[in-house]
């Protein structure tokens, strides 16, 4: 098929690579404008742009698709379909109807659960036991279109946003190729019941409130890895928690250190406790607890603050 591809992050680049490996003709790639990154804040291309250029594919980086000139450029390509994956721009109705088979979206949830910007993090925070990918025919509403194909995967007790993202990205690429190979196909309308919205993650959400149950804080640590990182305050310094484990055998005043061992610092929560195993002081490196304690001694009974 002649495909226009629109996407920006690694999740989308995985889908683009799957399209190319399947032999589809990607006639144009749309992606967000280059953004400043790194210590020098030099402009950096998106993962999708980098992949497209490596394959000699033309890249288009408009700031809006409401522009008539941009729309005419897309129309002139005569594409069979436009594939959208974590693109970052709203597609106006005029664009949705341009390709012969319209626009289809790769969404990292089992719609209608977790429509919106952060479905992977929200699934982890909510304690969902499964998630998946839905290939959706796009329409004007936010992730409201009928579903062409979907597949579920389990969420394990060790999954982070990073690990779940990678599994879902691979699944999305596979389902996309299967869907394009079956077009035209009937889409199934999303049920009215079960709709939830995955609002964009705010950094303030990653701050640890030790009065919450340990199982909820464990989900927070995993949901905010690799970004922005769940965090608490230690002597006025922000400390991020990158790895932790539940322990329901001990309790105490929330935020109080119950035990300090070579491999973990056990902290009381509103219910149960959390064993912190990998920490990072602001401006420092991610360290196993044994190395962290070498530079930051901690003692039983010390109270840890909430993030601030």
């Amino acid at each position: 098929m002649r495909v226009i591809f629109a996407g920006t992050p690694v999740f989308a680049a995985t889908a683009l690579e799957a399209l190319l490996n399947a032999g589809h003709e990607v006639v144009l790639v749309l992606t967000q404008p280059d953004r400043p990154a790194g210590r020098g804040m030099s402009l950096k291309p998106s993962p999708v742009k980098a992949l497209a250029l490596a394959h000699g594919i033309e890249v288009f980086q408009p700031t809006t698709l409401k522009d008539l000139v941009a729309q005419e450029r897309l129309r002139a390509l005569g594409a069979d379909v436009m594939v959208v994956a974590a693109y970052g721009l709203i597609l106006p109705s005029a664009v949705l109807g341009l390709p012969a088979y319209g626009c289809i979206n790769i969404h990292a949830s089992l719609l209608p659960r977790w429509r919106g910007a952060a479905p992977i993090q929200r699934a982890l925070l909510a304690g969902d036991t499964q998630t998946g990918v839905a290939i959706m025919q796009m329409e004007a509403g936010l992730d409201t279109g009928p579903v062409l194909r979907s597949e579920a995967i389990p969420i394990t007790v060790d999954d982070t946003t990073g690990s779940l993202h990678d599994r879902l990205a691979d699944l999305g690429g596979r389902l996309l190729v299967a869907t394009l190979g079956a077009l035209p196909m009937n889409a199934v309308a999303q049920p009215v019941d079960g709709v939830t919205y995955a609002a964009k993650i705010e950094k303030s959400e990653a701050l640890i409130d030790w009065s919450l149950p340990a199982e909820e804080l464990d989900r927070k640590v995993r949901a905010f890895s690799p970004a922005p990182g769940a965090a608490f305050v230690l002597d006025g310094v922000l400390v991020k928690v990158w790895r932790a484990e539940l322990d329901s055998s001990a309790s105490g005043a929330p935020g109080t250190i119950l035990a300090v061992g070579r491999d973990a610092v056990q902290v009381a929560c509103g219910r149960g406790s959390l064993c912190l195993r990998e920490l990072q002081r602001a401006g420092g490196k991610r360290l196993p607890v044994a190395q962290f304690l070498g530079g930051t001694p901690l003692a039983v009974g010390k109270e840890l603050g909430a993030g601030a």
Side-chain angles (χ1 to χ4, degrees):
M1 284 194 172
R2 287 177 59 82
V3 180
I4 297 172
F5 186 89
T8 298
V10 172
F11 182 89
T14 302
L16 176 58
E17 190 164 26
L19 276 180
L20 296 172
N21 290 339
H24 291 285
E25 181 187 5
V26 180
V27 295
L28 183 69
V29 162
L30 285 74
T31 191
Q32 286 283 296
D34 297 0
R35 307 292 189 197
R39 291 189 176 181
M41 296 302 287
S42 57
L43 291 179
K44 183 178 180 180
S46 72
V48 164
K49 179 179 179 178
L51 180 62
L53 293 178
H55 285 270
I57 302 170
E58 183 181 1
V59 175
F60 184 32
Q61 296 175 273
T63 56
T64 178
L65 289 176
K66 296 178 181 179
D67 180 73
L68 296 180
V69 174
Q71 292 175 16
E72 184 53 39
R73 181 173 180 179
L74 300 181
R75 181 182 291 107
L77 293 170
D80 297 309
V81 67
M82 181 170 174
V83 174
V84 181
Y87 176 33
L89 282 185
I90 295 175
L91 272 58
S93 297
V95 171
L96 293 175
L98 287 180
Y101 293 118
C103 300
I104 64 175
N105 176 252
I106 310 169
H107 189 74
S109 80
L110 298 173
L111 293 169
R113 187 158 179 80
W114 302 127
R115 294 173 179 172
I120 300 176
Q121 293 95 329
R122 295 300 174 194
L124 282 168
L125 286 170
D128 290 1
T129 58
Q130 70 169 9
T131 185
V133 168
I135 307 295
M136 175 193 68
Q137 190 80 49
M138 295 181 70
E139 57 182 31
L142 176 64
D143 299 330
T144 58
V147 174
L148 294 160
R149 192 181 296 261
S150 66
E151 186 173 320
I153 62 171
I155 297 177
T156 72
V157 295
D158 296 322
D159 265 325
T160 64
T161 287
S163 65
L164 199 52
H165 166 280
D166 292 349
R167 289 161 57 207
L168 290 170
D170 289 341
L171 175 60
R174 178 168 59 80
L175 289 186
L176 172 64
V177 170
T179 301
L180 293 188
L183 290 178
M185 62 186 295
N186 293 327
V188 178
Q190 295 183 34
V192 176
D193 296 332
V195 175
T196 56
Y197 289 93
K200 180 181 177 181
I201 297 296
E202 301 293 339
K203 285 187 177 181
S204 59
E205 294 181 76
L207 304 180
I208 291 175
D209 179 353
W210 295 108
S211 69
L212 295 175
E215 57 266 27
E216 187 171 336
L217 295 182
D218 171 66
R219 295 198 300 266
K220 179 174 293 221
V221 169
R222 293 184 290 114
F224 297 135
S225 174
F232 63 89
V233 171
L234 175 65
D235 297 330
V237 177
L238 201 66
V239 176
K240 292 189 176 184
V241 182
W242 293 114
R243 191 161 57 90
E245 291 179 10
L246 286 170
D247 189 328
S248 58
S249 63
S251 61
T256 302
I257 294 178
L258 301 175
V260 177
R262 176 175 175 78
D263 299 321
V265 173
Q266 186 178 19
V267 184
C269 306
R271 182 175 64 240
S273 63
L274 203 61
C275 294
L276 313 182
R277 295 191 177 276
E278 186 176 357
L279 301 171
Q280 179 183 19
R281 288 174 63 94
K285 297 180 179 179
R286 292 174 57 158
L287 297 173
V289 157
Q291 294 182 36
F292 182 86
L293 293 175
T296 309
L298 295 175
V300 173
K302 185 175 181 62
E303 294 184 2
L304 305 180

